Structure formats: C-alpha cells, structure tokens
Amino acid sequence: GGGGGTNPLVATVRRHTGGAVSALQFNPHPASANLLATGGSDGEVLVTSLDDPSNPNVCVPAPDQPKRGAEVTKVSWNTQVSHILASGSGDGTAVVWDLRQKKPWCELRCEANGGALSDVAWNPSQGLHVCTSSSDDRNPVLKLWDLRASTSMPLATLEGHARGVLGLSWCPHDDSLLVSCGTDNRTILWDLLTLRPVGDIPNDDEPSSAASVASAGAGPAAAGGGGGGFDQQPFSGIGQSQQKRYDVQWSPLLRGVVSTCSFDRKVQAHSVIGLATRCGRPPAWLKPASGASCGFGGTVLSFGTSSKSVSMARCVEVPELKAASDRFESDVAGGDYAAFCTKLSAEARGKDESYEAQCWGFMRIIFEENARAQLLQYLGFDPEDIGRKASEFANGAGAGGGPPDDAAVDVADGVDRLSVKDGGGGGGGSGPMSPAAERAVHRALLVGNFDAAVWCCFNAGAHADALVLASCGGSDLWGRAQAED
C-alpha cells in the first residue's frame, strides 16, 4: 500500500488446493476465538489456529478420513459446544465434526437427489438442533434436524420458496424465528413453532423496476407489433436477477434487525419487529426482562436478567403498621387467644377507650372453655340467682310481686317478642301471664333453665306455653309436664 502505512496483512494460509476457498467462519466461543474454519471447492475442511498469526497452525478435523470430493459450501461452529463443527457440501450432505475425537460425529444426507446444500445453521440455544437449506430449484426446502432423535430423518421440512434457497440465519434472540432468502427473490421470515412462514421482507427496488418495464412495453411500437419494437422481458430478467439476495443475517446486537446483500452490490438493514409479531405472540426480545411481585408484610419478590435466581426483600412503607403486624404475629403464635384479647382490653381500658375494651372483653369470652356461662355473667346474668328466683316464683313466692331482679341490664326485654302472644295461655281459660311471670320465664330461658321456666308457666296458668317449653327440655321434663297438665 501507499501513504507510508504498515501492511495490515497478518497471515496467509495456502492449504486449499485445486480451487477457491468457499466458506469460512471464526469460532464464536471466546475461549476458542483463535480457531478459523474454512472449506474449499476441493472438498477439504481445515481448522487454522491463529494463536501465533505469524505461524498459523493448520489441521484437518479428521486426519484418518479420506478427503471428500464435493465442494464445501458452508462451515458452521456449534453455538453451545466449542469443539463441534458442521460443514455442508455440494453433494447434499452435511457432516458434524468432533475436533476432540478427530472424527466425524455424524453425517446428514439432506438431499437424496444430490442437490447442493447452500447453508447450515445451528440453533442458538439448543446445541443438537441444526437447519440446512437446499439450493436445488427442484427441491427448495429448509430442513430442521434434531440430532438426538435421528440423523437420517429431519424433524421438519419448511416449504415456501419457489426456487433454490441461497442463505438462512437463525435468530440469536428468539430461537423460534428463522429467516431465509432464495433465487425466487423472496426473503422469508419463518415461525418454527408453527413451521409456517410469517411473511416476506420486501424488496424495495422490485415495484419500481416492474413499473418501468411495464411502461416501456406499452409504447406505440409494442401496440403495433412492429416497426422498431423490441421485447423487454430479457432485460426485466436481468434486473430482477441483480436484485436477488444471496445472503441474510440477523444482527447479533440489534434485536429485530436483519441485514441482506444482493447481486446489485447492495447491503440493506431491515427491521422485522412488526413482521415478527404477526405470528400471534411477541418475540422473545419484547418479553419483560425483569419483574417484581409484592406480598404480605412488605415482601417483594424480584427477578432480572443478571441472575437466574429470584431475590426476596422487605420494603417497609409504614413502620408503625409493620411493628403492629409483627407484634400480632408473635402474640398469636402460641395460640393463647384469650390472653391476647385480655391484653388488648387492658390496653384499651388504660387509654380510656371503654367501647374498645368491651369489644376485646367480649371476644375474650369466645375463647374461654365455658363460653356460654361466662357470656351470661359478662352481660349481668347469674344463672344460679335467676334459677333460684324463677323457682321461688314457680312455687308462688313471687306471684303477686314485681320482677325478680331489676338490678342487672335487662337483656330479657329484647326477648319479650319471642313469647306466645297475649291470650295464648293454656287451660282453664285463664288470661295472659303477668309481666312478672313473663320476666321470670324469659330470664330462666336466657340461662337455659327450662325446668324453672316450665313451672313458672304452670304457676301462671299458661299450660300451653309450659308444654311447648317442656318439649325442648328433654324427655324427663316432658314426662313430668304431661303428668302435671
């Protein structure tokens, strides 16, 4: 070169003989990035180590294997294992080489009719999935292979191109998307979950070229059929062939961007984000890379792309509420709910909050062993005292007096409506019970003393009420009530 600069050439390797170098690729794994795989029209695959660029070390993947005669059309390093290399040939076969074992790992006979393979690509996330494409116009297909299942039958075949496939590329950001281009001037985006084409990446020059050809062929000479007219079809074919894309690649950094190159010396970049969403689901690169979920007590679960684990943290917005929640959990952990209610009732009473104290006191009774008796005591009813006074009334001691006891809170007044209506008394044609008798019956029923309530009714002459109440007090009381009636 000129300008006084240094020669940028690092090394020259001359090992392919009898033809051109038709394929090459550096190893994508950082630990093996010094390895360069090449394939030639002589049918040989070489691996060159450039640890020392001034002295390249060239070797063949399988020294004991004879050299294959068909041209090597593609070499492709495995995306998961650094010592696995695949090569495609012009005879329709693909060979997977194991550089450690120094022998072929398997051979895929992709084209039974001997058509050439145009491309070979590994799944970016699955090391045993590979895709091959055929440049044969008679069978323009892409084949998906699962090397765990079979090396003789493809997992699936993608049909969509009308003529031979020239190149393919597997999306590094979403392994369910694949793009291919062919001699039919189509660049197709594939959905590998449905095994169907999603759509075409348009060729920008195609409509204008077709329009110009149509306008040229519609002139007077073409209409008259002579006099200087000429056929535009051959020139149209030349224009379309120059626009054909012979290679396509996904961007390794820009997600959703595909680059293409064509025979008219153009390299174009295309955004396929809108096209990729036509498959009915968002591409993998549009899915959330991180997320969080909030739980009870300020617990926050989160995940992100920097780690494969889920982290848990506590975010306290109201410290007072957290302290109350922790105190509540510790107090009820032992299961002594009565003591917990007693404690809160005492705290409320100390703050002069009588209503709060009564509520917690009432709740404490619910958790006591003899809750019913203590509830009556809490409301101001003494079962023994009420039973004694009801018995005295039944024996006639309080028949003409006032109520047995007016000191307690008269909850029985609210039960008055449950009694038999006036005039519903029993035998002898007697009138309704007196207020004192009704109160004695109500109080006896409130504490569950059916025996005293029945005899109060008999003493007041309400035999029908006595029999109804006796039927609820057991067979013994029922028998004695029948004998009394």
Side-chain angles (χ1 to χ4, degrees):
T6 59
N7 189 352
L9 181 64
V10 175
T12 301
V13 179
R14 302 182 183 275
R15 285 289 301 268
H16 290 284
T17 59
V21 177
S22 53
L24 78 163
Q25 187 187 46
F26 271 103
N27 196 311
H29 299 274
S32 303
N34 60 304
L35 299 180
L36 173 66
T38 59
S41 57
D42 57 355
E44 191 169 25
V45 177
L46 299 177
V47 178
T48 302
S49 175
L50 297 176
D51 281 332
D52 183 5
S54 61
N55 185 23
N57 183 18
V58 184
C59 62
V60 295
D64 298 335
Q65 297 289 323
K67 184 170 66 173
R68 297 171 180 266
E71 176 185 3
V72 177
T73 58
K74 183 70 175 181
V75 290
S76 179
W77 291 97
N78 189 283
T79 56
Q80 304 298 313
V81 183
S82 60
H83 62 272
I84 298 296
L85 174 69
S87 63
S89 302
D91 59 357
T93 62
V95 181
V96 179
W97 307 90
D98 188 340
L99 302 186
R100 288 186 178 177
Q101 300 294 329
K102 296 183 179 181
K103 65 179 181 179
W105 188 75
C106 69
E107 180 176 339
L108 308 176
R109 298 191 177 274
C110 307
E111 302 300 322
N113 56 7
L117 289 185
S118 58
D119 211 340
V120 178
W122 291 95
N123 187 318
S125 59
Q126 298 289 337
L128 291 173
H129 290 175
V130 66
C131 182
T132 61
S133 61
S134 170
S135 61
D136 190 352
D137 291 342
R138 297 169 297 175
N139 189 32
V141 298
L142 294 90
K143 295 183 178 180
L144 298 173
W145 302 81
D146 185 352
L147 303 185
R148 295 169 299 185
S150 175
T151 58
S152 59
M153 292 293 294
L155 182 66
T157 301
L158 306 180
E159 299 179 356
H161 285 282
R163 301 178 65 183
V165 183
L166 296 179
L168 68 93
S169 179
W170 215 316
C171 179
H173 311 293
D174 187 345
D175 59 8
S176 67
L177 297 177
L178 185 143
V179 67
S180 64
C181 61
T183 55
D184 56 355
N185 208 21
R186 293 184 65 190
T187 305
I188 302 177
L189 179 67
W190 300 87
D191 180 8
L192 299 185
L193 296 183
T194 61
L195 303 178
R196 296 173 61 89
V198 177
D200 286 30
I201 300 176
N203 191 331
D204 297 336
D205 295 337
E206 187 174 357
S208 60
S209 175
S212 63
V213 171
S215 62
F230 61 93
D231 187 7
Q232 293 285 341
Q233 188 63 31
F235 295 93
S236 173
I238 293 175
Q240 291 181 359
S241 64
Q242 290 179 348
Q243 298 162 13
K244 290 178 182 177
R245 296 167 178 161
Y246 61 88
D247 197 8
V248 59
Q249 292 293 328
W250 288 90
S251 170
L253 298 178
L254 300 178
R255 301 176 180 182
V257 175
V258 172
S259 63
T260 59
C261 57
S262 56
F263 289 105
D264 58 355
R265 301 187 300 277
K266 285 185 179 180
V267 176
Q268 296 176 316
H270 313 267
S271 174
V272 296
I273 295 178
L275 187 61
T277 56
R278 294 184 186 177
C279 60
R281 66 182 184 281
W285 64 79
L286 293 181
K287 295 179 180 179
S290 61
S293 178
C294 299
F296 180 76
T299 303
V300 179
L301 297 178
S302 61
F303 65 92
T305 56
S306 59
S307 175
K308 294 183 179 180
S309 60
V310 177
S311 60
M312 183 176 66
R314 287 189 176 273
C315 179
V316 180
E317 295 184 359
V318 184
E320 296 80 6
L321 179 60
K322 180 182 182 300
S325 175
D326 293 340
R327 186 169 61 253
F328 172 78
E329 291 183 359
S330 62
D331 288 342
V332 301
D336 191 357
Y337 305 114
F340 174 71
C341 295
T342 303
K343 174 184 175 182
L344 293 183
S345 178
E347 292 179 358
R349 194 176 296 107
K351 298 177 182 178
D352 199 18
E353 297 177 355
S354 58
Y355 178 78
E356 189 79 9
Q358 289 180 4
C359 290
W360 285 112
F362 185 82
M363 292 183 64
R364 176 191 60 80
I365 297 173
I366 298 176
F367 300 106
E368 296 291 348
E369 294 183 358
N370 192 7
R372 187 175 185 277
Q374 293 199 31
L375 180 60
L376 293 173
Q377 291 283 358
Y378 187 79
L379 295 176
F381 294 96
D382 185 359
E384 296 181 358
D385 183 60
I386 291 176
R388 178 179 56 78
K389 293 183 178 181
S391 299
E392 292 176 356
F393 185 86
N395 295 328
D405 185 12
D406 290 331
V409 178
D410 195 3
V411 179
D413 287 345
V415 193
D416 288 346
R417 301 181 182 86
L418 301 179
S419 64
V420 180
K421 298 298 183 183
D422 292 346
S430 61
M433 287 189 295
S434 64
E438 285 194 1
R439 178 162 299 192
V441 173
H442 293 164
R443 287 174 172 264
L445 292 177
L446 196 62
V447 298
N449 193 340
F450 284 92
D451 193 285
V454 168
W455 299 117
C456 284
C457 290
F458 277 128
N459 186 41
H463 290 211
D465 291 345
L467 292 176
V468 171
L469 296 176
S471 65
C472 302
S475 57
D476 179 65
L477 180 59
W478 174 249
R480 288 189 287 120
Q482 285 181 318
E484 177 70 19
D485 188 55

